Amino acid sequence: MRLYDIEITSPLLLGTAQYPSPVVLLDAIAASGADIVTVSLRRETADGSGAGFFDLLQQTGCRILPNTAGCHSAQEAVTTAQMAREVFGTDWIKLEVIGHSDTLQPDVFALVEAARILSNDGFKVFPYTTDDLVVGEKLIAAGCQVLMPWGAPIGSGQGLRNPGALRAMRAHFPNVAMIVDAGIGRPSDAAQAMELGMDAVLLNTAVAKAGDPEKMAQAMAQAVEAGRMGYRADPMDRRDMAVPSTPILGLAELA
């Protein structure tokens, strides 16, 4: 998988929030095999007390993908992204512009606006979006080379609420890197996303809040690999009726 001309080996991206301790976080990242971890700018405070957390993440060797979590307008997201570029030293940004406080659904109008501004400013934008084809087209026109449609509301663990829409996105944008972001709760959800042809899965809460985050991270890593292999194997189509696996021809006829 290539993301903005950077080759990525792991189809699992991992968030870094809500872990019970730094040690658990590091163990989970190692078990996941992730190449990319996301982090909110809010972890880095003005007085520099968050620098320890950034140093911790650098120990993993993973590429840092800052996000604009908690932003509710295009201007707020753009400002946060510009600050993140200074703090983390990267032009990669996971762009979140929240439009609904309960579902945390993206404000797609502000999202497209912010994506255009940031792309023109040299950012490599990873937009957290819905599974709407028109929004996807507008984000690509704004300069995005990656789409990150949600599977379900952030932190809900509901899995893929609309697999048909995600399948349609994959078919409509065959050459665009696509990462399912949000809603993944179980390894089976991650495998399903990859079976639809997604390039990767980004998750956080499912691992951080598991009883054993390290074991769950390992399970998710195996699930995305199994799903990717299954997709590449060209699975059989679903059928409305049963089809016998044993041929009827040649069976004995009893009078």
Side-chain angles (χ1 to χ4, degrees), residues 13-15 38 65 94 148 179-182 184 200-204:
L13 288 67
L14 200 62
T38 64
L65 176 60
K94 180 192 170 190
M148 302 182 72
I179 304 169
V180 169
D181 177 18
I184 300 296
V201 167
L202 170 57
L203 53 89
N204 186 166

Side-chain angles (χ1 to χ4, degrees), residues 29-45:
I29 293 174
S32 73
D35 293 328
I36 300 172
V37 293
T38 64
V39 60
S40 171
L41 179 67
R42 301 180 193 283
R43 290 295 189 95
E44 301 292 323
T45 59

Side-chain angles (χ1 to χ4, degrees), residues 5-244:
D5 295 327
I6 300 296
E7 187 172 337
I8 304 299
T9 59
S10 173
L12 179 61
L13 288 67
L14 200 62
T16 57
Q18 306 183 69
Y19 289 83
S21 74
V23 172
V24 172
L25 169 61
L26 291 180
D27 288 344
I29 293 174
S32 73
D35 293 328
I36 300 172
V37 293
T38 64
V39 60
S40 171
L41 179 67
R42 301 180 193 283
R43 290 295 189 95
E44 301 292 323
T45 59
D47 61 5
S49 62
F53 183 72
F54 186 28
D55 292 340
L56 182 75
L57 294 182
Q58 288 183 309
Q59 296 176 26
T60 68
C62 295
R63 190 177 187 94
I64 304 297
L65 176 60
N67 66 42
T68 61
C71 293
H72 291 264
S73 70
Q75 185 56 55
E76 184 182 10
V78 168
T79 301
T80 301
Q82 292 168 340
M83 294 171 62
R85 181 165 57 183
E86 295 298 321
V87 171
F88 296 105
T90 178
D91 57 6
W92 280 26
I93 191 72
K94 180 192 170 190
L95 181 60
E96 296 182 26
V97 186
I98 302 303
H100 193 276
S101 58
D102 290 334
T103 64
L104 301 182
Q105 180 171 326
D107 178 341
V108 295
F109 305 100
L111 180 69
V112 171
E113 179 185 355
R116 182 176 294 106
I117 294 171
L118 291 173
S119 295
N120 289 339
D121 193 25
F123 281 89
K124 310 297 190 298
V125 179
F126 293 69
Y128 165 60
T129 183
T130 62
D131 50 24
D132 186 281
L133 299 181
V134 176
V135 175
E137 289 178 341
K138 291 185 179 299
L139 287 168
I140 291 172
C144 299
Q145 297 180 24
V146 178
L147 293 176
M148 302 182 72
W150 67 344
I154 294 173
S156 68
Q158 294 179 12
L160 307 185
R161 295 206 303 185
N162 196 345
L166 292 174
R167 186 181 293 108
M169 286 197 77
R170 178 71 288 171
H172 193 70
F173 303 107
N175 300 316
V176 176
M178 199 166 298
I179 304 169
V180 169
D181 177 18
I184 300 296
R186 299 174 181 271
S188 55
D189 301 332
Q192 182 186 15
M194 298 301 293
E195 287 175 354
L196 293 175
M198 299 296 113
D199 295 289
V201 167
L202 170 57
L203 53 89
N204 186 166
T205 309
V207 171
K209 292 301 184 181
D212 187 333
E214 182 179 1
K215 186 174 293 185
M216 182 59 75
Q218 185 177 8
M220 289 293 187
Q222 293 173 355
V224 295
E225 289 292 352
R228 179 163 65 174
M229 187 178 299
Y231 175 73
R232 290 177 173 174
D234 190 16
M236 62 175 286
D237 295 329
R238 296 185 185 274
R239 298 165 173 167
D240 294 332
M241 300 180 64
V243 178

